[in-house]
Amino acid sequence: MSSHDLNSAMLFVHPPLAIAGYACIFVFTALLFLTRRREAKATRLFGLAAWTFTLLGLVTGMVWAQVAWGTYWSWDPKETLTLMLFVAVSASLALFYEKQWKTAKWASLVSCVLSVVTASSSFLIAGLHSFL
Amino acid sequence: MRKTSVAVLFVAFAVVLLLVFSPASSGTSTNPCGQCHLGKYVQHLDVLEGGSAVLSQIGVGETENVTVTIENSVNAVTYSALSGVSVTLASKNGDISVGSPTVNIGSLPAGTEKVTWKITGVSDGYDSLVITAMGVNTHYNLPFSDSYSPSPSIAVGQPTTAPPPSSATNPLSIELTSPARGERWSPGTSHSINWHTNGGTDPLTVTIECSLSTIEGPWTTIAAGIADTGSFAWETPNVTDTLYLRVFAVDSGNPVQDALAVGAVEVGEDTGGLILLGTVSVVLLVVAGLAVIFYRKWRAQTREASGGHAQ
């Protein structure tokens, strides 16, 4: 992708939402691991924020892909990793709501690892997002 | 199971299902676009050699039609039309005059289009016609061009000299290597326009022209008749716009051959990265701030609760 392809208002919508999703995943995981009252409002809020931001990042990415590349989904490595991340975040949030603390903790840890892999995939794996 | 966890899992399941069973799930894009789709998108603007009816003889004062077929060949459905398409017919030696040399087609969807000119024999001799087509895919400002010179030459009137040899054995071609696709140059800075020629008869001369905003011109000459060194240092104008560049190469053969390459560059300050960095920083600060606020609230609540137990 050339720098010209990034000349879009979506540049200020999609990446911030995705990054906010990553950040919230880390805060959610930290709260799950570090706090005793796991049902605290903050943990729930950050879990929900992580899920919402990741979903919005995915959806806005699809909209931008349709505009820029003519297709909303092409199984690009970063797209696929983000989908895996979304599934992992969904699982950890569902487990959290089901009060399966231990499993939720490990699922959120997997989400953290996937966040790092997804974020760094632009630099490591050749694909549509290899423009950085 | 709680309603919230059911809703969360339902949305995740729906998203996965939607993507797995979507029409684009085969792994290839329905409209891959240029380099951003790893070379899967292929588009060419061609002057069809087989589809061009060019005569071999014309009398002095005689007028004939010359019909040329151009093709927008593309392997995508959307964003496939070329804009600002123009086709120019020129005489090499001036023994033939062309009425209205440039035909503006405008938008050219995928497929072919026929263009017809009226040419008139002016003086005795052998002459060649050069057909040049240009257009741009505005979706990515990708310029396309092609040129074709039918061989052998056209005999005009009663030529007194022998016909020139066919140059088809060593055709001249040119490629513009800098600016590369999608490149951005800052206004008022010095950059190198690079090209690469192949074939033709040495020495070659090169002419570089630019057009602001549109590929349809007007074209301003940057350098005329310079040696084929493959590079020319140029200072970008103080504008913020798309700048189209075209490079003509002409050889010293008989008949003369020429070739054309068109490129585009975005002229403007690249502030996108800084704005993105700023936006990302603000988002991270907001998330971190919220985390701190909630942590302090939680700590206060915990202290309050433990204080209550102590009493």
Side-chain angles (χ1 to χ4, degrees), chain A residues 67-100:
Chain A
V67 173
W69 300 329
T71 177
Y72 65 88
W73 193 260
S74 45
W75 295 106
D76 167 65
K78 191 155 191 165
E79 288 176 354
T80 312
L81 280 165
T82 308
L83 183 63
M84 286 165 65
L85 175 66
F86 178 61
V87 170
V89 174
S90 301
S92 62
L93 190 63
L95 288 163
F96 171 78
Y97 274 107
E98 290 301 312
K99 298 181 182 177
Q100 304 290 320

Side-chain angles (χ1 to χ4, degrees), chain A residues 1-5 7 11-12 15-17 19-20 23-24 27 31 34-37 39-42 45-46 48 51 53 55 58 62 66-75 83 86-87 89-91 93-95 97-99 126-128 132, chain B residues 1-2 4-9 11-12 15-16 18-20 22-33 35-38 78-79 138-141 181-184 266 270 272-273 275-276 279-280 283-284 287 290-291 294-295 298 301-302:
Chain A
M1 183 190 264
S2 66
S3 60
H4 177 76
D5 305 332
N7 282 342
L11 178 69
F12 311 114
L17 280 171
I19 291 163
C24 288
V27 177
L31 288 173
L34 300 175
T35 61
R36 285 183 186 176
R37 283 186 61 198
E39 279 186 279
K41 199 177 174 184
L45 204 88
F46 273 99
L48 211 55
W51 185 81
F53 282 135
L55 178 63
L58 200 64
M62 287 160 70
Q66 176 61 40
V67 173
W69 300 329
T71 177
Y72 65 88
W73 193 260
S74 45
W75 295 106
L83 183 63
F86 178 61
V87 170
V89 174
S90 301
L93 190 63
L95 288 163
Y97 274 107
E98 290 301 312
K99 298 181 182 177
L128 303 179
L132 292 170
Chain B
M1 232 177 161
R2 286 189 172 197
T4 321
S5 53
V6 171
V8 164
L9 289 176
V11 172
V15 169
V16 173
L18 177 78
L19 296 176
V20 169
S22 68
S25 64
S26 60
T28 54
S29 163
T30 51
N31 178 35
C33 205
Q35 70 213 107
C36 59
H37 273 254
L38 309 174
T78 51
Y79 307 124
T138 51
H139 186 56
Y140 277 95
N141 278 339
R181 276 184 180 176
E183 209 166 314
R184 179 180 281 271
E266 292 293 322
D270 196 359
I275 295 169
L276 177 64
T279 316
V280 168
V283 169
L284 287 175
V287 172
L290 283 172
F294 277 107
Y295 181 71
W298 170 76
Q301 279 176 356
T302 316

Side-chain angles (χ1 to χ4, degrees), chain B residues 29-51:
Chain B
S29 163
T30 51
N31 178 35
C33 205
Q35 70 213 107
C36 59
H37 273 254
L38 309 174
K40 291 176 191 167
Y41 179 86
V42 181
Q43 185 165 33
H44 295 289
L45 176 62
D46 290 330
V47 179
L48 294 181
E49 299 179 13

Side-chain angles (χ1 to χ4, degrees), chain B residues 169-182:
Chain B
T169 51
N170 191 21
L172 176 66
S173 64
I174 187 167
E175 184 191 358
L176 189 64
T177 52
S178 174
R181 276 184 180 176

Side-chain angles (χ1 to χ4, degrees), chain B residues 20-310:
Chain B
V20 169
F21 293 105
S22 68
S25 64
S26 60
T28 54
S29 163
T30 51
N31 178 35
C33 205
Q35 70 213 107
C36 59
H37 273 254
L38 309 174
K40 291 176 191 167
Y41 179 86
V42 181
Q43 185 165 33
H44 295 289
L45 176 62
D46 290 330
V47 179
L48 294 181
E49 299 179 13
S52 306
V54 180
L55 47 145
S56 60
Q57 195 166 5
I58 189 171
V60 174
E62 188 185 349
T63 299
E64 293 280 354
N65 283 340
V66 170
T67 300
V68 166
T69 306
I70 59 163
E71 181 182 27
N72 170 14
S73 102
V74 57
N75 65 347
V77 178
T78 51
Y79 307 124
S80 58
L82 293 175
S83 302
V85 176
S86 64
V87 192
T88 304
L89 183 77
S91 151
K92 273 183 180 170
N93 301 335
D95 293 326
I96 293 171
S97 76
V98 184
S100 305
T102 301
V103 175
N104 290 311
I105 294 172
S107 179
L108 178 66
T112 58
E113 177 88 24
K114 282 189 187 297
V115 185
T116 302
W117 291 267
K118 285 194 183 301
I119 62 166
T120 306
V122 176
S123 53
D124 294 328
Y126 284 97
D127 202 350
S128 295
L129 296 173
V130 183
I131 305 143
T132 306
M134 287 192 299
V136 63
N137 185 329
T138 51
H139 186 56
Y140 277 95
N141 278 339
L142 298 178
F144 292 88
S145 66
D146 187 31
S147 65
Y148 166 56
S149 184
S151 187
S153 304
I154 301 169
V156 185
Q158 303 294 325
T160 51
T161 55
S166 172
S167 55
T169 51
N170 191 21
L172 176 66
S173 64
I174 187 167
E175 184 191 358
L176 189 64
T177 52
S178 174
R181 276 184 180 176
E183 209 166 314
R184 179 180 281 271
W185 289 352
S186 295
T189 53
S190 185
H191 290 274
S192 181
I193 299 167
N194 297 337
W195 65 90
H196 177 72
T197 54
N198 197 21
T201 308
D202 288 333
L204 304 177
T205 56
V206 171
T207 297
I208 308 168
E209 295 176 331
C210 72
S211 168
L212 206 59
S213 302
T214 167
I215 199 168
E216 293 166 78
W219 293 92
T220 308
T221 304
I222 296 171
I226 59 170
D228 179 31
T229 54
S231 183
F232 182 79
W234 181 60
E235 191 172 302
T236 53
N238 282 310
V239 293
T240 304
D241 209 337
T242 304
L243 193 78
Y244 291 92
L245 290 164
R246 66 179 185 185
V247 185
F248 284 109
V250 181
D251 77 349
S252 305
N254 185 11
V256 172
Q257 291 189 82
D258 60 16
L260 165 74
V262 185
V265 61
E266 292 293 322
V267 180
E269 298 296 348
D270 196 359
T271 52
L274 282 174
I275 295 169
L276 177 64
L277 196 69
T279 316
V280 168
S281 306
V282 168
V283 169
L284 287 175
L285 280 173
V286 167
V287 172
L290 283 172
V292 169
I293 289 165
F294 277 107
Y295 181 71
R296 290 180 73 171
K297 268 191 174 181
W298 170 76
R299 281 284 298 271
Q301 279 176 356
T302 316
R303 275 180 192 165
E304 205 173 282
S306 59
H309 283 304

